[in-house]
Amino acid sequence: MPMTKENQNEISKPKKHWTMALVESMKDAELIYKDTERIVIIRDKYPKAKIHLLVLPKDNINSIYKLTSKDVALLEEFGEIFKLIQKEHKNHLLNAGFHAVPSMQRLHMHIISKDMVSPCLKTKVHWNSFTTALFKPYNDVLAELKQYGAIKEIAHDIYKTLKTTPLKCNQCSYIPKNIPQLKEHLLSHL
Ligand code: AMP
Ligand code: ZN
């Protein structure tokens, strides 16, 4: 492409890979919910529940698998933020945790309300990524980091099994036949 005044920005700024989108969103004033010296909290762009926020470090830590003992204080700050956000949303029960197999770069903790009512929740993988062991609760990750100084990766066959776990309501024993039936049922818990 020849360089012209109109396209020089496009040429000089190559498009970032989609897995880097959270790092871009950390600078997006419309998505930023709060920030501190070390952390940015953004609204998830495709929320899977009524409340869905992401907590990210400003430091370039790629995922939970890059955490070391030196990061315990940072992770404890994630916990303080979770407590604060739970206080701000007294009418919603919130969960905090990390995906065992994240798709996006930069460490991010999900803070997500238990309702799981959202038009963006569309697939079994979406559901299972928050309601099975694919979702590693914040307290477990903190305890593992304190004990071992690192987080152990999940085995690939376990990941595959968890992704295809049969659907089950996260708030009662209801077993839906499919996602539309599950979504309809979730409304009864509101
Ligand atoms: P994970 O599977 O843990 O990597 O989750 C990534 C999360 O980022 C998902 O909940 C997505 O809905 C969310 N997401 C994807 N793209 C963006 C974006 N550009 N800005 C904010 N959140 C995003
Ligand atoms: Zn139910």
Side-chain angles (χ1 to χ4, degrees):
M1 191 194 292
M3 173 100 80
T4 63
K5 214 169 182 177
E6 287 69 35
N7 70 13
Q8 69 185 5
N9 268 352
E10 261 172 58
I11 290 171
S12 59
K13 278 198 209 148
K15 202 161 164 35
K16 297 253 168 49
H17 194 258
W18 66 268
T19 59
M20 294 301 295
L22 295 185
V23 179
E24 295 301 301
S25 293
M26 286 171 79
K27 301 175 220 153
D28 182 344
E30 289 200 354
L31 287 177
I32 295 174
Y33 177 78
K34 249 184 224 316
D35 72 341
T36 73
E37 208 180 314
R38 289 201 287 187
I39 288 169
V40 182
I41 307 157
I42 60 171
R43 293 180 186 82
D44 194 291
K45 204 165 177 176
Y46 311 99
K48 306 301 185 296
K50 287 192 176 288
I51 295 159
H52 191 178
L53 300 167
L54 302 172
V55 183
L56 305 102
K58 289 182 182 170
D59 277 353
N60 186 8
I61 302 171
N62 203 33
S63 74
I64 46 171
Y65 303 112
K66 299 288 179 196
L67 291 170
T68 70
S69 309
K70 292 200 298 280
D71 301 310
V72 165
L74 173 76
L75 214 58
E76 283 174 338
E77 197 183 333
F78 276 33
E80 293 307 313
I81 281 170
F82 175 47
K83 276 191 213 150
L84 192 82
I85 290 175
Q86 179 64 83
K87 270 194 198 143
E88 288 174 358
H89 298 86
K90 288 201 175 70
N91 297 335
H92 295 267
L93 186 62
L94 306 180
N95 290 317
F98 302 83
H99 278 150
V101 184
S103 52
M104 310 289 282
Q105 295 194 40
R106 182 63 60 95
L107 171 70
H108 52 279
M109 181 175 81
H110 295 262
I111 294 181
I112 184 161
S113 54
K114 200 175 173 182
D115 55 87
M116 303 290 285
V117 168
S118 165
C120 296
L121 193 139
K122 291 178 175 159
T123 67
K124 190 179 201 178
V125 174
H126 286 159
W127 179 257
N128 284 338
S129 74
F130 287 101
T131 59
T132 67
L134 288 174
F135 189 73
K136 290 171 81 75
Y138 164 77
N139 284 331
D140 294 0
V141 172
L142 179 63
E144 192 176 339
L145 191 65
K146 280 183 172 171
Q147 188 170 1
Y148 303 108
I151 306 299
K152 195 170 179 290
E153 284 197 42
I154 186 172
H156 189 68
D157 55 335
I158 296 180
Y159 167 61
K160 271 172 58 184
T161 308
L162 289 170
K163 262 198 336 185
T164 55
T165 302
L167 296 172
K168 182 184 170 303
C169 177
N170 63 336
Q171 292 158 77
C172 74
S173 57
Y174 179 68
I175 301 196
K177 283 201 180 75
N178 49 40
I179 287 283
Q181 217 176 64
L182 171 61
K183 287 170 72 79
E184 175 84 32
H185 169 80
L186 289 171
L187 299 174
S188 71
H189 287 294
L190 288 180

